[in-house]
Amino acid sequence: MLLVLLLLPMCWAVEVKRPRGVSLTNHHFYDESKPFTCLDGSASVPFDQVNDDYCDCKDGSDEPGTAACPNGSFHCTNTGYKPLYISSRWVNDGVCDCCDGTDEYNSGIVCENTCKEKGRKERETLQQMAEVTREGFRLKKILIEDWKRAREEKQKKLTELQAGKKSLEDQVELLRTLKEEAEKPEKEAKDQHRKLWEEQLAASKAQREQELATSAFQELDDDMDGAVSVAELQTHPELDTDGDGALSEGEAQTLLGGDTQTDAASFSDRIWAAIRDKYRSEVLPTDLPSPSAPALTEPKEEQPLGPSQPAEEEDEEEEETEEEEGGEEGEDEDSQVPGEQPKETPPPVVPPQTVSPTEEDKMPPYDEQTQAFINAAQEARNKFEEAERSLKDVEESIRNLEQEISFDFGPNGEFAYLYSQCYELTTNEYVYRLCPFKLVSQKPKLGGSPTSLGTWGSWAGPDHDKFSAMKYEQGTGCWQGPNRSTTVRLLCGKETVVTSTTEPSRCEYLMELMTPAACPEPPPEPPASGNRDEL
Amino acid sequence: MDAAEKISVEDEAVDKKIFKDCSKIAFYRRQKQRLSKKSTYRALLDSVTEGKESTRFQIINEAAKVPLLAEVYGIEGNIFRLKINEEAPLKPRYEVPDVLTSKPSTVRLISCSGDTGSLVLANGKGDLKCHITANPFKIDLVSEEEVVMSINSLGQLYFEQLQIPPKQSRATKENEEDTSDDTTQENQEELGLWEEKFRNFVDVKDNGPASIGLDFSLHGFEHVYGIPQHAESHQLKNTSDGDAYRLYNLDVYGYKIHDKMGIYGSVPYLLAHKLGRTLGIFWLNASETLVEINTEPAVKYALTQMGPVAAKEKGRSQTDVHWMSESGIIDVFLLTGPTPSDVFKQYSYLTGTQAMPPLFSLGYHQCRWNYKDEHDVKAVDAGFDEHDIPYDVMWLDIEHTEGKRYFTWDKKRFPNPKRMQELLRSKKRKLVVISDPHIKIDPDYLVYAKAKEQGFFVRNHEGGDFEGVCWPGLSSYLDFTSPKVREWYSSLFAFSVYQGSTDILYIWNDMNEPSVFRGPELTMQKNAIHHGNWEHRELHNIYGFYQQMATAEGLIQRSKGKERPFVLTRSFFAGSQKYGAVWTGDNTAEWSYLKISIPMLLTLSVTGISFCGADVGGFIGNPEAELLVRWYQAGAYQPFFRGHATKNTKRREPWLFGEEHTRLIQEAIRERYALLPYWYSLFYSAHVASQPVMRPLWVEFPDELETFSVEDEYMLGSALLVHPVTEPKATVVDVFLPGSSEVWYDSKTFAHWEGACTVKIPVALDTIPVFQRGGSVVPIKTTIGRSTGCMTDSPYGLWVALSTKGSAVGEFYLDDGHSFQYLHQKQFLHRKFSFTSGVLINSCADKRGHYPSKCVVEQILVLGLKKHPSSVTSHSPGLNHPVDPGYSGPGVVSS
């Protein structure tokens, strides 16, 4: 096509006389023997007013060879190169616009005719381009074939996976049933075990309380009359309820449930519970197994103030989950050091005297049969989970394959080979990284974390050439600016390589990627290459 | 990212806390406090002596032990000058040098003492008198028996005489009377006599308090203008219920509009106008200055029912103007008019006229912070040609340098600056690069090393080189107040010195308030020391003026005195017009900033600075397409026409907003280029006749009260009225067409209206409301090239708009557009066109000039002909031929 254009002026330019600035295609409108009619038909003027440096036509067509009209066009023949229309306002303005210099015929400057040189360079470039395009297009066809094959394979694999998935699903369901079946006896046995232990625990606790109540009663019952009176109770000012530091008669009576005295039975039934938290033993309770009770009032409230100790909490949690109700006892351990847990956060060393209660509080190991149930259930669970995992893996593979297969890799899938590849370009300051269909990033050369210049958005070429550009959006936000984004322009090349990265507008990047996939089909080989030399 | 970016002062909105309001200014507080305790001055008229040039006498008040010396000068062209200084100050007080173009010629004043206790000084003709009253001291300016202005009639004369620092005595005092001193100390701090605190800064004042102040009452005046630079209305506002107008040059990124804080430049010059008289007060002081305005309006009266004369008599209005400066002396020039044009001449007689700009600088300028590299420049340049948009100048901001070392090039981005300039030259275009006053501290940087070696930097209070942070990081600041430094700086622009420069490279001075990022109010400490041991406080406002002066001189020298310079400056002072152009700094891409650009430029224009502009599109932020188009349309009709944008904005070259908007911007720029002959002629008139290029309506219509406050439209010269669209989605604008005997023509539709009416003009996005005044001739170019240089030989046209009497006049000036030959060899053409009784005569307006030109007038458009002409003939010596008239509508004839 180019050759035809170049040849035309060759053949006729010399022969055809036409006014300055008129192209060959238009020369027949300019007939010296007739008045000139403006090309838009707006007026008709004597022919000697064509190119008389005065604008007569609205469309500027009477002055193609002068700068008289604001909207005229001057045609440069540019023999040896491409013909060109320039704005007629640029005629004789002292700037050489046409390579043949014909636009500057009366401005005092001499324009060198550079058409031959330009034509030569242009042809060289075109030749190179054509060579690249040919080779690129050859590669592109391979890429298309590759993708066709790869796609079929992937499709096949997908079908396989989908089939495999069905049987896997069945297997998962089967294993789930087995697991559930195995868990039933396990749960029953464990529940039974726990229940027994809890009963045991409750009994011993009740007994401990009873013992405490009894001993307190004995302590209080100063006159040993088998009853605790108001006065006797008043000897324990710590039982004060209104906060004045003394236990008044009235308070004491209230504690005794309105009576003036109480006997041992009703003391331990009704009153002990109300006063036990405050009650301070007169004798140091060396013989009591757990002195924890009195201190138990404070820890709950105080704990948040103390430094939190993850290790301890974990311990607690474990205990609570394992022993459920035993949790209360578990906390008792902490309460050994309640108010004195200062900033230093001492490691939660369990004080020696609490060792025995803890052991006592621990649930005894499961009996053999229960353990057997547990083991069986665990095995069933493991099998089930394993199957479930493989199902998930398969589903993931299916999703990925489906995505890849349905991805828009260009009209013939020629861009598919870029999927799951990454290309880098190193500039003075940065390493730019393009992973097509995924993301673009920028990393300082001298270390530092990468900045996202956008993740895959869409094909972004113009409507008629959608696959000539890609858009990556929503990269890292700019200070006082938009999120970074990148347009990747795809250029025909023999190799796949990022050739440049620029930032034409702040935080809007432009990258150029050479790829055979962008090569258009080259025009058919010219029949005779000798023609070119004639130009 | 380098250090400069981290310390950047950018913030979308200005943080006002960085800057002082009046309450934070100690000398303001002192004056307010003392003036509240009235202590009046009286003149000792028995001390009057008449010198060769001036009449001198002493003035004294009870508080001041030593009298002050007052001098009254009569100056050529109906100007009075009043100087008040200490008779024998402890050390000399700063008097601003280099602003007055030459020593003004004095005229002898005839003293005819009136009654006792007064003295009258009259000019030769006796129509202007200074009536000096002794007690209390007051001066009345009397013109033809009318008192037009009174000085110190409010008793606000204030003069702090220099004192011996109380250092020693204070130190001992504090030791002795530790307890009782508290209140005084507090008071000391409040008054800021020897030390003044602001935020983290302490201003130690070795010279102590030295402030001055004086009031001027303008009788019958309600309209005052001038004292740029503020982002404020053209007519100055009453300051009685807020801050005074502050004149203190500061770098205020994204300044707030409708605010009286000081921004980049200062011209301490105020104009007052009333029916029948225009006055000017030029307060020649370069220290921080505050101006209070108090307008007492006239008794309310209905304008329509009274003629101007009656209104004049009835209106007993008055405007009081109170000037206060931190330091220096009182040196004030009273320009007595009586017409606006007279006042312009009087002011330029003192400070100089607008420099004649090279023609290219009136074209369109394309700037951005920053065009990245040579390739970018090439692409943008090509973009203009590709879209057929004319432009003349490519600009490079700070990033073109090697690490903000001015006079160098970034080797990676601009490896071959000469090649880049050759590309521009091939299209007859130019390049402007930035050169700021801060010099990076780097011993390997030649400019720094040389300046350091020769002691060319401003010094700090302790005597070392002043160091402050700016774009390059830690920098020192050239002391442009020194003639030697200026001379050396000028020499840096020599082609042999400035590597990579060519004769198409011109200069832009930015950050020259000076901007110091971590300094008080982002500027230099007031106690920094300049040449002659003057403190920075004395001359702060004139620092930028001196840089532009030295730059312009450098550009002249590099061409061996042949070529006109072009230098754009951000900071300026009275007289900066002599050195180039000024712009309004870091504005914002908002409609309100487009709108305020008009009054801001009008104010600059009436204070002598005709070559001024605002960044098209708004420097900060991203303009929507409509705003950008409207801004191009407005900018095309403003003197300095440059598109500029800050770093973090989107690209906004004219073709990036879709085809339609590209076309609209292209059209606006082309309109500018079509009118270039008119622009150039107007600049010549500004240059030789002191008339502003962009004129507020009151200047052209001084007898029409309705024009006095108009600031949404203006006159370009005397022929074109421009009313830019500054509102979004406008469909109609109200255009006021002044002058009851005028007729106005729409420049596009040729529709016409009688004057003295407001018309509703429908506007589309391509409408720029421009009206030609009947009676004018406007020269234009009929074809538009890609740059002014490419249009040298293109033909001219004339727009002849007939007055109601059917006549029109206009002028046209032409020279080579770049050299001083118009001045030295009188190589210019100055023509006059007049149209009367159907004949257009082209005659010579200045016989001294001659300049050969190939150009022809190819089109004459006559607006307002009553009937279609039967024939058109053209006469010139030896040539006589008929021309075919093209008649394109009622009243419009072109040929």
Side-chain angles (χ1 to χ4, degrees), chain A residues 268-308:
Chain A
S268 73
D269 280 355
R270 298 188 286 112
I271 295 152
W272 174 240
I275 64 169
R276 63 158 292 177
D277 290 350
K278 281 186 186 167
Y279 183 77
R280 218 178 286 142
S281 175
E282 289 159 24
V283 202
L284 271 179
T286 43
D287 54 336
L288 284 178
S290 169
S292 61
L296 217 120
T297 45
E298 289 146 57
K300 275 271 173 181
E301 284 93 324
E302 297 250 327
Q303 250 170 359
L305 293 172
S308 70

Coordinates of all heavy atoms in Angstrom, one line a residue, chain A residues 268-308:
Chain A
S268 N -24.4 -24.2 109.3 CA -23.7 -24.6 108.1 C -24.6 -24.6 106.9 O -24.2 -24.5 105.8 CB -23.0 -26.0 108.3 OG -24.0 -27.0 108.4
D269 N -25.9 -24.8 107.2 CA -26.9 -24.8 106.1 C -27.1 -23.4 105.5 O -27.1 -23.2 104.3 CB -28.2 -25.3 106.5 CG -28.3 -26.8 106.6 OD1 -27.2 -27.4 106.2 OD2 -29.3 -27.4 107.1
R270 N -27.3 -22.4 106.4 CA -27.8 -21.1 105.9 C -26.8 -20.0 106.1 O -26.6 -19.2 105.2 CB -29.1 -20.7 106.6 CG -30.2 -21.7 106.4 CD -31.5 -21.1 107.0 NE -31.6 -21.2 108.4 CZ -31.6 -20.2 109.2 NH1 -31.5 -19.0 108.7 NH2 -31.6 -20.3 110.5
I271 N -26.1 -20.0 107.2 CA -25.3 -18.8 107.5 C -23.9 -18.8 107.0 O -23.4 -17.9 106.5 CB -25.3 -18.6 109.1 CG1 -26.8 -18.3 109.5 CG2 -24.4 -17.4 109.5 CD1 -27.1 -18.7 110.9
W272 N -23.3 -20.0 107.0 CA -21.9 -20.1 106.6 C -21.7 -19.6 105.2 O -20.8 -18.8 104.9 CB -21.5 -21.6 106.7 CG -20.1 -21.8 106.1 CD1 -19.8 -22.6 105.1 CD2 -18.9 -21.2 106.6 NE1 -18.4 -22.6 104.9 CE2 -17.9 -21.7 105.8 CE3 -18.6 -20.3 107.6 CZ2 -16.5 -21.3 105.9 CZ3 -17.3 -19.9 107.7 CH2 -16.2 -20.4 106.9
A273 N -22.6 -19.9 104.3 CA -22.4 -19.4 102.9 C -22.3 -17.9 102.9 O -21.6 -17.4 102.0 CB -23.6 -19.9 102.1
A274 N -23.1 -17.2 103.8 CA -23.1 -15.8 103.7 C -21.8 -15.1 104.2 O -21.5 -14.0 103.8 CB -24.3 -15.2 104.4
I275 N -21.2 -15.8 105.2 CA -20.1 -15.2 105.8 C -18.7 -15.8 105.5 O -17.7 -15.2 105.8 CB -20.2 -15.2 107.4 CG1 -20.2 -16.7 107.9 CG2 -21.4 -14.5 107.9 CD1 -20.0 -16.7 109.4
R276 N -18.8 -16.9 104.8 CA -17.5 -17.6 104.6 C -16.4 -16.8 103.8 O -15.3 -16.9 104.1 CB -17.7 -18.9 103.8 CG -18.3 -18.7 102.4 CD -18.0 -19.9 101.5 NE -16.5 -20.0 101.3 CZ -15.9 -20.9 100.7 NH1 -16.6 -21.9 100.2 NH2 -14.6 -20.9 100.5
D277 N -16.9 -15.9 103.0 CA -15.9 -15.2 102.2 C -15.2 -14.2 103.1 O -14.0 -13.8 102.8 CB -16.6 -14.4 101.0 CG -17.0 -15.4 100.0 OD1 -16.7 -16.6 100.1 OD2 -17.8 -15.0 99.1
K278 N -15.8 -13.7 104.1 CA -15.2 -12.7 104.9 C -14.5 -13.3 106.2 O -13.6 -12.8 106.7 CB -16.2 -11.7 105.4 CG -16.6 -10.7 104.3 CD -17.5 -9.7 104.9 CE -18.0 -8.7 103.9 NZ -19.1 -7.9 104.4
Y279 N -15.0 -14.4 106.5 CA -14.7 -15.0 107.8 C -13.2 -15.3 107.9 O -12.5 -15.8 106.9 CB -15.4 -16.3 108.0 CG -15.1 -17.0 109.3 CD1 -15.8 -16.5 110.5 CD2 -14.3 -18.1 109.4 CE1 -15.5 -17.0 111.7 CE2 -14.0 -18.6 110.7 CZ -14.6 -18.1 111.8 OH -14.3 -18.7 113.0
R280 N -12.6 -14.8 109.0 CA -11.2 -15.1 109.2 C -11.0 -16.0 110.4 O -11.5 -15.7 111.5 CB -10.5 -13.7 109.5 CG -9.1 -13.7 108.8 CD -8.4 -12.3 109.1 NE -9.0 -11.2 108.3 CZ -9.2 -10.0 108.8 NH1 -8.9 -9.7 110.0 NH2 -9.7 -9.0 108.0
S281 N -10.3 -17.0 110.2 CA -10.2 -18.0 111.2 C -9.3 -17.5 112.3 O -8.4 -16.7 112.1 CB -9.5 -19.3 110.6 OG -9.3 -20.2 111.7
E282 N -9.6 -17.9 113.5 CA -8.8 -17.4 114.7 C -7.5 -18.1 114.8 O -6.5 -17.6 115.2 CB -9.6 -17.6 116.0 CG -10.8 -16.6 116.0 CD -11.9 -17.1 117.0 OE1 -11.6 -17.9 117.9 OE2 -13.0 -16.7 116.8
V283 N -7.5 -19.4 114.4 CA -6.3 -20.1 114.4 C -5.8 -20.2 113.0 O -6.5 -20.2 112.0 CB -6.5 -21.6 114.8 CG1 -5.2 -22.2 115.3 CG2 -7.6 -21.7 115.8
L284 N -4.5 -20.1 112.8 CA -4.0 -20.3 111.4 C -4.3 -21.7 111.0 O -4.0 -22.7 111.6 CB -2.4 -20.1 111.4 CG -2.0 -18.6 111.2 CD1 -0.5 -18.5 111.2 CD2 -2.6 -18.1 109.9
P285 N -5.0 -21.8 109.8 CA -5.5 -23.1 109.4 C -4.5 -23.9 108.8 O -4.5 -24.3 107.6 CB -6.6 -22.7 108.4 CG -6.1 -21.4 107.9 CD -5.2 -20.7 108.9
T286 N -3.5 -24.3 109.6 CA -2.4 -25.2 109.1 C -3.0 -26.5 108.6 O -2.5 -27.1 107.7 CB -1.3 -25.4 110.1 OG1 -1.9 -25.6 111.3 CG2 -0.4 -24.2 110.2
D287 N -4.0 -26.9 109.3 CA -4.4 -28.3 109.0 C -5.4 -28.3 107.9 O -5.7 -29.4 107.4 CB -5.1 -28.9 110.3 CG -6.2 -27.9 110.8 OD1 -6.1 -26.7 110.5 OD2 -7.1 -28.4 111.4
L288 N -5.8 -27.1 107.4 CA -6.8 -27.2 106.3 C -6.1 -27.4 105.0 O -5.1 -26.8 104.7 CB -7.6 -25.9 106.3 CG -8.6 -25.7 107.4 CD1 -9.3 -24.4 107.2 CD2 -9.7 -26.8 107.3
P289 N -6.7 -28.3 104.2 CA -6.0 -28.6 103.0 C -6.0 -27.4 102.0 O -5.0 -27.2 101.3 CB -6.9 -29.7 102.4 CG -8.2 -29.6 103.1 CD -8.0 -29.0 104.4
S290 N -7.0 -26.6 101.9 CA -7.0 -25.5 101.0 C -7.3 -24.2 101.7 O -8.5 -24.0 102.1 CB -8.0 -25.7 99.9 OG -8.1 -24.5 99.2
P291 N -6.4 -23.3 101.9 CA -6.6 -22.1 102.5 C -7.1 -21.0 101.5 O -7.2 -19.9 101.7 CB -5.2 -21.6 103.0 CG -4.3 -22.3 102.0 CD -5.0 -23.4 101.3
S292 N -7.4 -21.5 100.3 CA -7.8 -20.6 99.2 C -9.0 -19.8 99.5 O -9.2 -18.7 99.0 CB -7.9 -21.4 97.9 OG -8.9 -22.3 98.1
A293 N -9.9 -20.4 100.2 CA -11.3 -19.8 100.3 C -11.3 -18.3 100.7 O -11.9 -17.5 100.0 CB -12.1 -20.6 101.2
P294 N -10.6 -18.0 101.7 CA -10.7 -16.6 102.1 C -10.2 -15.6 101.1 O -10.8 -14.5 100.9 CB -9.8 -16.5 103.4 CG -9.6 -17.9 103.8 CD -9.7 -18.7 102.6
A295 N -9.2 -16.0 100.4 CA -8.6 -15.1 99.4 C -9.4 -15.0 98.2 O -9.2 -14.1 97.3 CB -7.2 -15.5 99.1
L296 N -10.4 -15.8 98.0 CA -11.1 -15.9 96.8 C -12.0 -14.7 96.4 O -12.4 -14.6 95.3 CB -12.0 -17.2 96.8 CG -12.1 -17.9 95.5 CD1 -11.6 -19.3 95.7 CD2 -13.5 -17.9 95.0
T297 N -12.2 -13.9 97.4 CA -13.1 -12.7 97.1 C -12.5 -11.8 96.1 O -13.2 -11.2 95.3 CB -13.3 -11.9 98.4 OG1 -12.1 -11.8 99.1 CG2 -14.3 -12.6 99.3
E298 N -11.2 -11.6 96.2 CA -10.6 -10.5 95.4 C -10.2 -10.8 93.9 O -10.5 -10.0 93.1 CB -9.3 -10.0 96.1 CG -9.7 -9.2 97.3 CD -8.7 -9.3 98.4 OE1 -7.5 -9.0 98.1 OE2 -9.0 -9.8 99.5
P299 N -9.7 -12.0 93.7 CA -9.1 -12.1 92.4 C -9.9 -11.7 91.2 O -9.4 -11.0 90.3 CB -8.7 -13.6 92.3 CG -9.6 -14.2 93.3 CD -9.8 -13.3 94.4
K300 N -11.1 -12.0 91.1 CA -12.0 -11.7 89.9 C -11.9 -10.2 89.6 O -11.7 -9.9 88.4 CB -13.4 -12.1 90.2 CG -13.7 -13.6 89.9 CD -14.0 -13.8 88.4 CE -14.1 -15.3 88.1 NZ -14.4 -15.6 86.7
E301 N -12.1 -9.4 90.6 CA -12.1 -8.0 90.3 C -10.7 -7.5 90.0 O -10.5 -6.6 89.2 CB -12.7 -7.2 91.4 CG -14.2 -7.2 91.5 CD -14.6 -8.3 92.5 OE1 -13.9 -9.4 92.5 OE2 -15.6 -8.1 93.2
E302 N -9.7 -8.0 90.7 CA -8.4 -7.5 90.6 C -7.7 -7.9 89.3 O -6.8 -7.2 88.8 CB -7.6 -7.9 91.8 CG -8.1 -7.4 93.1 CD -7.2 -6.3 93.7 OE1 -6.0 -6.4 93.5 OE2 -7.8 -5.4 94.3
Q303 N -8.1 -9.0 88.8 CA -7.3 -9.5 87.7 C -7.1 -8.5 86.5 O -6.0 -8.4 86.0 CB -8.0 -10.8 87.1 CG -7.1 -11.9 87.4 CD -7.8 -13.2 87.2 OE1 -8.9 -13.2 86.8 NE2 -7.1 -14.3 87.4
P304 N -8.1 -7.8 86.1 CA -7.9 -6.9 85.0 C -6.8 -5.9 85.2 O -6.2 -5.4 84.3 CB -9.3 -6.2 84.8 CG -10.2 -7.1 85.5 CD -9.5 -7.7 86.6
L305 N -6.6 -5.5 86.5 CA -5.6 -4.5 86.8 C -4.2 -5.1 86.7 O -3.3 -4.4 86.2 CB -5.8 -4.0 88.2 CG -7.1 -3.3 88.5 CD1 -7.3 -3.0 90.0 CD2 -7.1 -2.0 87.7
G306 N -4.1 -6.3 87.0 CA -2.8 -6.9 86.9 C -2.4 -7.1 85.5 O -3.2 -7.1 84.6
P307 N -1.1 -7.3 85.2 CA -0.7 -7.5 83.9 C -1.2 -8.9 83.4 O -1.3 -9.8 84.1 CB 0.8 -7.5 84.0 CG 1.1 -7.8 85.4 CD 0.0 -7.3 86.2
S308 N -1.7 -8.8 82.2 CA -2.2 -10.1 81.6 C -1.1 -11.0 81.3 O 0.0 -10.6 80.8 CB -3.1 -9.8 80.4 OG -2.3 -9.4 79.4

